[in-house]
Amino acid sequence: MELRVNVNGEDKVFTIAAGERLLDVLRRVGYHSVKEGCREGNCGACVVLLDGKPINSCQVFAARCEGCEITTAEGLGTPAHPHPLQAAFVKAGAVQCGYCTPGMLLSAKALLDENPEPTTEEIKEALDGNLCRCTGYVKIIKAVKNAARAMK
Ligand code: FES
Ligand code: FES
């Protein structure tokens, strides 16, 4: 079957299998920023934005995304022109192994799109579903605050 979606601003048509998860489709067609972790909805490594809202793509059937807008980390910025969140993560040292980073960035983007001046508690709440085994979260929270300031 065919799936029509807009990914990072580009209209796409993907051939998918019934029952295929969005995570698997996105990785199969080359969006490798979308990471596979637990496949159970617990780690947030697979987060993408679906019509602007963060979702665990391992928990969503691709077929249910017909006509939707999807944002992956590939759509945020480039090495030459990083999104302010990407620049802030690098500057704050909020990236270590990097496995959690794409999902973190997208959850943080969804937060800042809705709430440009979040408190520490609001940042913690927004990133609650994104697990990081490396950083201890302090630098990630600092990076989101710095990005919010930079985006004003
Ligand atoms: S791989 Fe989807 S939440 Fe862990
Ligand atoms: S930087 Fe390694 S899991 Fe977050």
Side-chain angles (χ1 to χ4, degrees):
M1 59 192 290
E2 288 193 334
L3 172 70
R4 283 168 195 75
V5 283
N6 183 290
V7 185
N8 300 329
E10 294 179 358
D11 289 331
K12 300 279 185 182
V13 182
F14 302 133
T15 301
I16 62 168
E20 204 173 3
R21 301 180 194 201
L22 182 59
L23 164 67
D24 297 322
V25 173
L26 289 172
R27 287 191 58 82
R28 178 163 57 72
V29 300
Y31 297 98
H32 294 138
S33 73
V34 188
K35 301 298 185 215
E36 179 180 339
C38 64
R39 284 184 81 82
E40 292 180 350
N42 294 322
C43 74
C46 66
V47 163
V48 300
L49 302 185
L50 190 66
D51 290 337
K53 304 284 181 211
I55 53 107
N56 289 321
S57 60
C58 71
Q59 298 297 295
V60 174
F61 288 124
R64 294 191 61 183
C65 303
E66 177 72 22
C68 292
E69 287 186 8
I70 295 167
T71 306
T72 71
E74 284 89 349
L76 289 185
T78 64
H81 300 286
H83 186 280
L85 274 164
Q86 291 171 313
F89 268 58
V90 170
K91 196 166 178 200
V95 182
Q96 288 188 28
C97 80
Y99 207 80
C100 70
T101 307
M104 286 281 184
L105 288 168
L106 291 164
S107 293
K109 181 180 186 305
L111 170 67
L112 296 185
D113 285 348
E114 279 204 350
N115 178 0
E117 291 183 68
T119 63
T120 300
E121 279 313 305
E122 287 168 333
I123 295 170
K124 285 183 183 174
E125 201 174 307
L127 301 182
D128 193 34
N130 296 83
L131 303 187
C132 177
R133 302 199 315 176
C134 308
T135 66
Y137 301 98
V138 173
K139 290 177 179 176
I140 290 174
I141 292 165
K142 185 178 170 198
V144 176
K145 282 190 174 169
N146 289 346
R149 234 172 272 131
M151 289 165 72
K152 264 190 191 170

